[in-house]
Amino acid sequence: MSTTLKEYLGQNNTNINESLKSVIMSIAHGAIIVQNKVSRISLDDISGSTGEINVQGEEVQKLDDKANNIFIDEFRENGKIAIIGSEETENGVILNKESGEYLVNMDPLDGSSNIDVAVSVGSIFGIWPRQDDSCLNDNSLLLEGRKQDAAVYIVYGSSTLMVVATESGVQSYTLDLEKKEFIITDANLKIPNKSKYFSVNYGNWDNFSIKTQEIIKDLQGKYSLRYIGSLIADFHRNLLKGGVFIYPADNKSPNGKLRLMYEANPLAFIIEKAGGIGVTGKENILDISPGSLHQRTPLILGNKDIVKNMFE
Ligand code: AHM
Ligand code: MG
């Protein structure tokens, strides 16, 4: 008998409160709508860019925009979310100033440069309990990763998966397209002890520092190289098979490319709950005290052993 996401969250051993359950269910509902758009991109004229440039200075893809609106609408309807930070909006979007209990930082469509070529993309969410502040503004979103109550990502790939991490562990659910329900397919996801892969954009080699080049040279020959260029797809493969993902600082991106609040923090939370670790190279991602919503960070995510060896 298959257990749906709703049924699984309803079981006593998950230790998740009702409000958090409803936030997770809203993400699942939004993801089913986004999955449909992703699969129909060429049929519904939603490929390509909107012509706008987002706060990151990157082209906004039509689907970036749609996914952003889909999840914001879900969260607005939910009522439990006070404010959202999104890759696609310059400032936080206030939803429920009075009684919102959670703050969500999200990348509504990660890997969007891969959408038009039918390569896996994803959505990423970090969920924090609202702190004791009466005035709600962008600063309310700037909490350390370790304070997250939960983090979630979706992979829109050959199948659509939703991975949910809370204090009690990490579960993976697969979307049953016929029933339009996420079904639990792994109740206790752990990164394997033995690693298979390392993932880095070798095209940036000349911009890497000597130290970064040495670290990467050390991985060559020990592990197979896999790099998709969709963070979620690279992360998910390495989480299941064992490995390390590296997006370091370089000459072109002195603070790294990926964003702390809605890419690094949720994935570092998930990998830690699965037995791995997320670091910048100098500190644990989850301990960084954030300075701004769209802050970038060097990012290394993987098995504890490989990551520790990289800096010895
Ligand atoms: P996005 O959030 O705008 O889609 O960009 C982030 C993406 C990640 O999915 C991926 O890991 C990275 O950018 C790839 O960057 P690069 O093409 O420089 O290797
Ligand atoms: Mg992204």
Side-chain angles (χ1 to χ4, degrees):
M1 244 275 289
S2 49
T3 306
T4 65
L5 171 68
K6 194 170 181 193
E7 287 163 351
Y8 189 81
L9 294 177
Q11 291 172 5
N12 292 334
N13 60 356
T14 59
N15 264 332
I16 307 175
N17 71 47
E18 291 305 317
S19 299
L20 185 55
K21 276 181 206 166
S22 83
V23 175
I24 295 169
M25 288 308 298
S26 291
I27 293 174
H29 196 245
I32 294 172
I33 304 172
V34 173
Q35 186 281 329
N36 182 265
K37 303 269 177 225
V38 168
S39 68
R40 296 190 54 84
I41 184 157
S42 303
L43 300 172
D44 291 349
D45 187 28
I46 42 176
S47 65
S49 119
T50 61
E52 283 161 31
I53 301 291
N54 71 10
V55 59
Q56 324 284 327
E58 292 157 0
E59 272 194 345
V60 178
Q61 304 294 310
K62 287 182 192 162
L63 217 52
D64 279 327
D65 203 38
K66 285 215 177 302
N68 194 39
N69 292 333
I70 288 166
F71 286 115
I72 290 176
D73 287 350
E74 289 292 332
F75 291 144
R76 183 173 286 116
E77 205 173 300
N78 179 290
K80 300 280 191 286
I81 293 116
I83 182 169
I84 307 176
S86 166
E87 177 177 341
E88 301 306 330
T89 55
E90 185 163 0
N91 299 109
V93 182
I94 296 177
L95 295 183
N96 185 348
K97 205 167 185 154
E98 280 69 44
S99 53
E101 298 166 41
Y102 284 98
L103 320 169
V104 176
N105 283 306
M106 68 170 174
D107 180 350
L109 202 70
D110 174 66
S112 51
S113 67
N114 278 323
I115 309 170
D116 289 357
V117 291
V119 168
S120 300
V121 291
S123 304
I124 315 174
F125 305 85
I127 306 167
W128 281 258
R130 184 179 182 173
Q131 305 294 293
D132 201 13
D133 59 350
S134 46
C135 55
L136 195 63
N137 55 37
D138 282 11
N139 290 334
S140 317
L141 288 162
L142 303 181
L143 298 170
E144 286 153 28
R146 208 166 283 294
K147 294 193 172 137
Q148 287 168 104
D149 266 1
V152 176
Y153 69 82
I154 318 289
V155 195
Y156 309 100
S158 50
S159 56
T160 294
L161 304 178
M162 176 166 174
V163 175
V164 179
T166 59
E167 268 317 307
S168 57
V170 185
Q171 287 82 42
S172 178
Y173 303 85
T174 302
L175 180 61
D176 181 328
L177 278 171
E178 281 162 26
K179 295 186 181 137
K180 294 205 176 342
E181 292 266 19
F182 279 97
I183 306 294
I184 188 140
T185 39
D186 190 340
N188 185 22
L189 209 166
K190 293 279 178 209
I191 189 162
N193 290 331
K194 207 165 157 8
S195 292
K196 281 183 93 162
Y197 300 125
F198 76 110
S199 310
V200 68
N201 184 343
Y202 263 93
N204 293 331
W205 184 263
D206 288 350
N207 295 321
F208 292 155
S209 67
I210 302 288
K211 186 167 175 232
T212 302
Q213 290 181 347
E214 275 166 5
I215 287 173
I216 293 169
K217 275 186 199 156
D218 201 48
L219 300 170
Q220 294 171 175
K222 287 190 190 144
Y223 307 103
S224 285
L225 171 68
R226 293 283 189 280
Y227 192 72
I228 296 171
S230 273
L231 174 60
I232 280 305
D234 281 310
F235 176 83
H236 185 68
R237 181 201 52 246
N238 292 0
L239 181 63
L240 263 59
K241 304 287 182 192
V244 62
F245 172 91
I246 309 160
Y247 207 112
D250 63 27
N251 287 342
K252 216 172 58 191
S253 318
N255 300 315
K257 175 184 179 186
L258 297 169
R259 278 57 55 108
L260 174 65
M261 295 314 296
Y262 41 80
E263 291 175 323
N265 267 330
L267 298 187
F269 182 87
I270 292 168
I271 205 160
E272 204 167 287
K273 298 289 170 234
I277 190 165
V279 301
T280 62
K282 294 198 174 101
E283 60 187 319
N284 190 305
I285 293 285
L286 299 177
D287 294 328
I288 299 175
S289 175
S292 64
L293 181 54
H294 301 286
Q295 174 174 343
R296 294 178 193 263
T297 178
L299 180 60
I300 299 161
L301 296 157
N303 291 68
K304 276 190 182 149
D305 289 355
I306 308 194
V307 174
K308 227 176 78 207
N309 280 341
M310 284 167 68
F311 300 100
E312 268 173 358

